[in-house]
Amino acid sequence: MNYLVWLGQPICQEVSLTGGKAANLGKLAARYPVPPGFCLTTQAHSRWGGEDGAEFRDLLATAYTELAERTQTPLPRVAVRSSALGEDSHDASFAGQYETFLNVQGVEALADAVLRCWEMARSERVAVYQQQQNGTAESRTTENRVAVLVQALVPADSSFVAFSADPISGERGRVVINANWGLGESVVSGLATPDAYAVDKAGGALLSQTIGAKECMTVVSEEGVRTVAVPRFLRARPALNETQVAAVAALATKLESEMGWPVDIEGAFQGETLYLLQCRPISTLMG
């Protein structure tokens, strides 16, 4: 049985073990700036489920210690995300259906976050979404196994969501980017009006830039994360500079070519360092 695998290992690309989110990142981790991490597999979910036993905690403790060595941090802060079968696929993104826990630190807190991710797999919200996607509730018995992705947390200065094709118009010749200060939760959840950029895919020219209101942002705190007001002097400033916009557009374009389909990516900048946090198909793309 494979209860735990690391991003970058070939086995991590097996969707039946690691779910869509982790499998996509697993394919890219060795060659792209993906934060280090590991995945508790669907077999781990089947083995322990809601059980909080010694064997489960020993497995987590060993992996957490290795992550500390890889990041050269005694107690690394991590992001814990569900990675379900069928998630981040061409047919369904499952965006917002499963749990995400940010700025988790220590084995006890990590174990609690993993168990809560598994618990969410049994929620009515997920069941209804699955039934809507599959047209039947029968598939829930096989599709509710959930892997859990654990990655080193990027304390982002700014974050973005980028599409290698316009998800609204279906235009394939441009990269569309939304960005805000802080962690990416304020962008993906719609809490704030982000900056919006459009970049010509072929030539890399900036086609348009709209500075959003950026009313709030998500930041790391001692209690986990919290939403705070964006300082007024930052609201009028672009969350991404020209060099960063160009780097995001180039990354989205390259990933589209490698994956073989238009991509929806999430990422972050810590200083000028770009990190890739998620890559999935644009499931709502028109045309």
Side-chain angles (χ1 to χ4, degrees):
M1 290 290 183
N2 293 293
Y3 294 135
L4 188 146
V5 298
W6 286 86
L7 289 175
Q9 289 183 311
I11 196 173
C12 191
Q13 300 177 36
E14 295 186 16
V15 177
S16 62
L17 272 180
T18 59
K21 182 183 278 94
N24 287 342
L25 283 179
K27 180 178 180 179
L28 302 169
R31 291 169 290 107
Y32 289 87
V34 176
F38 56 87
C39 182
L40 286 158
T41 68
T42 54
Q43 291 179 350
H45 186 193
S46 298
R47 170 67 178 83
W48 290 290
E51 177 187 336
D52 188 8
E55 187 180 11
F56 163 68
R57 285 179 175 265
D58 287 346
L59 180 72
L60 274 185
T62 299
Y64 188 71
T65 298
E66 183 171 341
L67 184 62
E69 294 172 354
R70 293 190 182 198
T71 59
Q72 298 183 328
T73 306
L75 284 173
R77 298 178 184 272
V78 298
V80 182
R81 294 183 170 92
S82 301
S83 180
L85 298 181
E87 187 176 7
D88 288 0
S89 67
H90 291 273
D91 300 318
S93 70
F94 280 80
Q97 302 303 312
Y98 291 101
E99 290 291 349
T100 294
F101 300 96
L102 302 176
N103 199 21
V104 176
Q105 189 175 36
V107 175
E108 294 298 319
L110 175 57
D112 180 64
V114 171
L115 291 171
R116 290 170 69 183
C117 285
W118 283 340
E119 181 181 0
M120 187 61 198
R122 300 190 296 270
S123 73
E124 187 63 26
R125 183 175 74 188
V126 170
V128 170
Y129 184 88
Q130 288 177 334
Q131 186 172 352
Q132 290 173 342
Q133 295 298 317
N134 297 297
T136 173
E138 183 179 352
S139 62
R140 187 183 179 195
T141 59
T142 59
E143 294 298 321
N144 67 347
R145 289 180 297 149
V146 173
V148 179
L149 177 62
V150 179
Q151 286 180 279
L153 180 73
V154 177
D157 297 308
S158 59
S159 300
F160 62 86
V161 175
F163 304 89
S164 66
D166 192 318
I168 305 300
S169 69
E171 168 61 51
R172 303 294 181 101
R174 64 179 58 189
V175 175
V176 176
I177 305 167
N178 294 321
N180 191 17
W181 302 109
L183 304 180
E185 299 310 295
S186 65
V187 180
V188 299
S189 65
L191 285 174
T193 307
D195 296 338
Y197 311 85
V199 180
D200 179 64
K201 191 184 294 183
L206 181 62
L207 301 174
S208 66
Q209 173 180 287
T210 303
I211 304 303
K214 300 192 290 291
E215 302 91 343
C216 61
M217 62 181 178
T218 307
V219 298
V220 173
S221 71
E222 289 301 319
E223 299 77 30
V225 297
R226 61 193 179 100
T227 301
V228 299
V230 174
R232 291 195 176 276
F233 78 95
L234 285 179
R235 294 186 188 185
R237 284 178 52 186
L240 302 180
N241 60 42
E242 291 184 6
T243 301
Q244 291 172 329
V245 170
V248 173
L251 176 63
T253 301
K254 186 175 182 180
L255 287 171
E256 177 183 87
S257 177
E258 175 156 343
M259 303 300 280
W261 26 260
V263 297
D264 166 359
I265 66 175
E266 295 177 23
F269 282 94
Q270 184 181 10
E272 293 300 314
T273 302
L274 169 61
Y275 292 93
L276 175 64
L277 305 179
Q278 185 161 290
C279 179
R280 62 190 180 198
I282 305 177
S283 60
T284 58
L285 187 64
M286 300 170 57

